[in-house]
Amino acid sequence: MKQKALVILILIGACLFRMQGQSPCWEFKINAGLNIGATSPLPLPEEIRKIESFSPPVFAPHVALEAIRRLNGKWGISAQLAIDYKGFDVESRAKSLYTEIEMNNEKYTGNFTGKNTTRIHNSYLSLPVTAIYRINERWDIQAGMYAGYLYNANFKGTASDGYIRQGSPIGEKTIIDRASFDFSEKQRLFDYGVLVAGEWSFYRRFALRGQIAWGLSPLFPSDFTSVPFHIYHIYGTLGISYRLNTR
């Protein structure tokens, strides 16, 4: 699936490259950067008592092909086709967190107290659509919406150094030395949210680009109860933009 997404971007990029310069109203860009953020509930639920460590992936790229239609000297409309890697690793302490785990080939459902380690590494094919406002020759700002399709899912982790009470917070107690969970295939295939971005042109066709994408769709459907609260993608991107054609 990763290879297919890259091929799609390459083919569209080739088409855009052939189109460059055909109209002064159109601009075509390649954007590349790194995503840093979290997939998290807001605010943190009371079951999560302490965050012990947090780390982004070693490599979480954002690569996009962007087409911009200039409406006048100030305003424009942008559409992108992007590949986004979103995720992080986190260790936390939980108390009476309702979940489902597996230990020694046996499943346990109930309220877990102890150490929780979660690894989220998801890959999306995204389509952001934004309005653009040009402040001056160097600065552009954008705001709009994005939609994303999950083509590579990874939501796994472990539970350890604690216990689980099955059925209810006062149910039968089972000691958990080390158990695991894998909710990768339980995630929604589609994500959507709002996006804001800014670009500063610093050299000819190059610009520094920063953006924030805030998910509005919970990661799991409402009928999935092993994660008992809504969690959302909240990620910032810092990178470079390269304009393919002259203005």
Side-chain angles (χ1 to χ4, degrees), residues 8-33:
I8 291 172
L9 285 180
I10 291 170
L11 291 175
I12 294 177
C15 293
L16 294 182
F17 186 78
R18 292 183 62 185
M19 293 172 62
Q20 65 171 317
Q22 292 182 4
S23 170
C25 296
W26 284 95
E27 294 177 20
F28 302 103
K29 296 181 177 181
I30 296 176
N31 304 325

Side-chain angles (χ1 to χ4, degrees), residues 12 22 28 44 84 95 128-129 140 152 175 179 190 204 217 219 222 231 238:
I12 294 177
Q22 292 182 4
F28 302 103
L44 283 177
D84 275 303
K95 183 174 182 180
V129 177
D140 280 353
N152 186 34
I175 300 299
F190 294 96
R204 294 183 180 178
S217 174
L219 198 64
S222 57
I231 55 178
L238 184 62

Side-chain angles (χ1 to χ4, degrees), residues 27-121:
E27 294 177 20
F28 302 103
K29 296 181 177 181
I30 296 176
N31 304 325
L34 294 176
N35 287 322
I36 300 175
T39 304
S40 172
L42 288 176
L44 283 177
E46 61 180 8
E47 293 94 335
I48 305 299
R49 294 304 175 94
K50 182 182 179 182
I51 302 296
E52 295 192 333
S53 69
F54 172 91
S55 61
V58 175
F59 188 56
H62 162 87
V63 181
L65 297 169
E66 182 175 18
I68 299 171
R69 173 70 176 181
R70 294 292 178 180
L71 303 178
N72 53 44
K74 289 292 186 181
W75 290 96
I77 299 174
S78 163
Q80 300 180 54
L81 185 62
I83 294 176
D84 275 303
Y85 294 81
K86 297 179 178 181
F88 67 100
D89 299 336
V90 63
E91 292 185 359
S92 63
R93 285 285 173 179
K95 183 174 182 180
S96 196
L97 173 66
Y98 184 84
T99 190
E100 179 182 293
I101 56 179
E102 183 174 332
M103 185 174 65
N104 299 326
N105 296 320
E106 185 174 352
K107 290 187 177 181
Y108 299 86
T109 300
N111 296 79
F112 171 73
T113 297
K115 182 178 179 180
N116 172 61
T117 301
T118 302
R119 176 184 176 90
I120 305 173
H121 287 194

